[in-house]
Amino acid sequence: MTDIARAAIAHEPAGLSANRSLLIAVIGFLTLVDLFATQAILPSLAQSYGVTPAQIGLAANASTLGMAISGLLVGVFSANIERKRAIALSLLVLSLPTAMLAFAPNLTVFAILRVVQGLFMAAAFTLTLTHLAERCEVRTAHALAAYVTGVVASNLIGRLTAAFVASLVGAEHSFLFFALLNIAGASLVTVALHRNAPEPMDRKGRFWNAWLEHLSDPALRRTFAIGFLILFGFIGIFTYVGFVLMRPPHALSMAALGLVFLVFLPSMITTPMAGSTVRRIGPGPAAAGSLAVALVGLALVLLPSLYSVIAGLTLVGVGTFFAQAVATGHVGRIARGDKAAASGLYLSSYYCGGLAGAAVIGQLFDRLGWTAAVAGVFAALALAALLGSKLVRPEGA
């Protein structure tokens, strides 16, 4: 550990002030707000481009491909990069493809721009986590809870905002608003975060040796698979439910569809409890139990009542976000050696699951209907729950 890092630790408070917690949450929100906000306006985008739900769903979620690639590469090649400057630059450059989405002439260009967005979103996300770790803020439950809350808020507020702005200026031009949010995030990081020298990782041999070592661990492979299946199911449901709700018998308007995504509000309360729950009952019961909640939600989503659908979506959000928090923390606890490489592999697997979910569930939705799509998600989350039940707390934890 460098002398600068030790000095930073010495001056780091044991807890976090309310202002510091809010800062971390806002950075988390502004970093990932572009990822899921687009899902709230997919029906309008599908109409604008004249494509099917599966086609626009896959194009919109192409950002997860960029995030999967970036999550791996940033962890490997960022050892000597100054974190604050790199985070701010990533968010600033992110504003360019975001703004260009407003003028994408066809679906192919739209998908390419979403991939580029994913590259810079994941870079900012990974570097922010690394920055917090090096300043020892993620040692406290307060910092982790704050950042997780900000990320969950990006799902809620991002979708609400996208639907509202799209109802005013149109779906395409709403991307200009989100480009301004990217610039705001870069400005906030520049003003509010402290600079600190990175702590280079001591790697022996070629950089992919750490990946091979982690992939040889059955416990880590199981956790990577859980992450894949969680986002597979989450994307599968929340990408295509908007098309269902805007059709009869519900026939919701764009603004009303945005309000449906208030279903993420309970997740902002429950997700930060994942750490304490794991400490009490262990990662296996915590992961399996939370995914069981999501499975109950899927059953409710199929009922004809709008209130049942909203209740079901709420449970799916609570269950999947909670399980994701459990799995993410479990990777850090069980990985031996290069933990950054293990986290990169997990995030890559997680985001690949999102892209696969958009593709597979989209085809089920287009060809066989909503019930078949929900059944596909149910199978994925049921398998994730089975694998999650086998998670074991490491000795001495």
Side-chain angles (χ1 to χ4, degrees):
M1 184 177 290
T2 65
D3 292 337
I4 295 177
R6 289 192 184 95
I9 292 170
H11 291 88
E12 203 63 50
L16 289 176
S17 67
N19 288 340
R20 191 66 174 167
S21 295
L22 179 61
L23 168 65
I24 293 172
V26 171
I27 291 174
F29 166 76
L30 292 174
T31 299
L32 293 184
V33 67
D34 295 301
L35 181 59
F36 296 117
T38 307
Q39 291 180 356
I41 56 175
L42 286 185
S44 293
L45 290 173
Q47 186 175 10
S48 297
Y49 287 110
V51 296
T52 66
Q55 289 174 316
I56 192 64
L58 184 59
N61 288 295
S63 55
T64 58
L65 176 61
M67 298 190 78
I69 296 170
S70 184
L72 284 177
L73 298 182
V74 170
V76 171
F77 297 110
S78 65
N80 296 308
I81 296 176
E82 200 283 310
R83 313 304 187 203
K84 172 183 174 179
R85 183 178 302 168
I87 296 166
L89 183 61
S90 296
L91 290 173
L92 184 62
V93 176
L94 173 61
S95 67
L96 298 178
T98 304
M100 292 170 66
L101 281 168
F103 309 103
N106 54 58
L107 196 63
T108 300
V109 174
F110 182 93
I112 292 172
L113 289 173
R114 287 292 284 174
V115 173
V116 176
Q117 272 191 309
L119 292 171
F120 291 103
M121 274 190 285
F125 176 75
T126 304
L127 288 167
T128 300
L129 288 179
T130 305
H131 177 84
L132 294 175
E134 288 171 347
R135 294 193 67 83
C136 293
E137 290 176 336
V138 293
R139 181 183 296 172
T140 69
H142 295 290
L144 180 58
Y147 198 75
V148 167
T149 301
V151 172
V152 177
S154 70
N155 279 267
L156 167 60
I157 302 175
R159 294 171 201 260
L160 287 173
T161 305
F164 176 72
V165 174
S167 68
L168 297 177
V169 301
E172 296 92 339
H173 291 94
S174 64
F175 290 107
L176 296 175
F177 174 79
F178 285 98
L180 293 177
L181 288 185
N182 299 150
I183 296 172
S187 302
L188 178 63
V189 168
T190 300
V191 171
L193 284 189
H194 301 293
R195 290 190 63 184
N196 64 296
E199 187 176 333
M201 290 168 284
D202 183 19
R203 287 193 175 94
K204 297 179 181 179
R206 300 186 184 277
F207 66 84
W208 58 77
N209 287 347
W211 294 344
L212 295 176
E213 180 181 351
H214 292 315
L215 289 172
S216 67
D217 184 340
L220 278 174
R221 289 201 306 269
R222 182 182 300 115
T223 312
F224 297 157
I226 292 169
F228 179 96
L229 292 166
I230 288 173
L231 198 60
F232 181 101
F234 181 90
I235 291 289
I237 283 295
F238 286 101
T239 296
Y240 300 108
V241 70
F243 292 95
V244 175
L245 293 177
M246 292 187 74
R247 296 172 180 171
H250 305 299
L252 298 183
S253 66
M254 179 64 68
L257 179 62
L259 292 176
V260 167
F261 292 112
L262 286 170
V263 296
F264 292 118
L265 191 58
S267 298
M268 295 177 64
I269 300 171
T270 58
T271 304
M273 300 177 184
S276 59
T277 303
V278 168
R279 285 193 295 272
R280 287 197 308 271
I281 66 175
S290 59
L291 288 169
V293 170
L295 293 174
V296 173
L298 289 175
L300 292 175
V301 164
L302 289 175
L303 297 178
S305 167
L306 179 61
Y307 296 109
S308 296
V309 174
I310 291 174
L313 293 175
T314 302
L315 293 180
V316 172
V318 167
T320 52
F321 276 121
F322 196 95
Q324 157 67 353
V326 173
T328 303
H330 192 66
V331 169
R333 283 189 293 272
I334 67 174
R336 295 185 296 272
D338 193 336
K339 292 182 182 294
S343 295
L345 283 170
Y346 176 81
L347 288 175
S348 180
S349 176
Y350 179 72
Y351 289 120
C352 283
L355 187 62
V360 173
I361 303 303
Q363 288 300 312
L364 289 175
F365 182 67
D366 275 359
R367 297 172 184 272
L368 302 175
W370 180 234
T371 300
V374 174
V377 172
F378 190 96
L381 294 186
L383 179 57
L386 178 62
L387 294 174
S389 68
K390 300 180 184 301
L391 298 182
V392 179
R393 193 196 315 265
E395 293 184 8

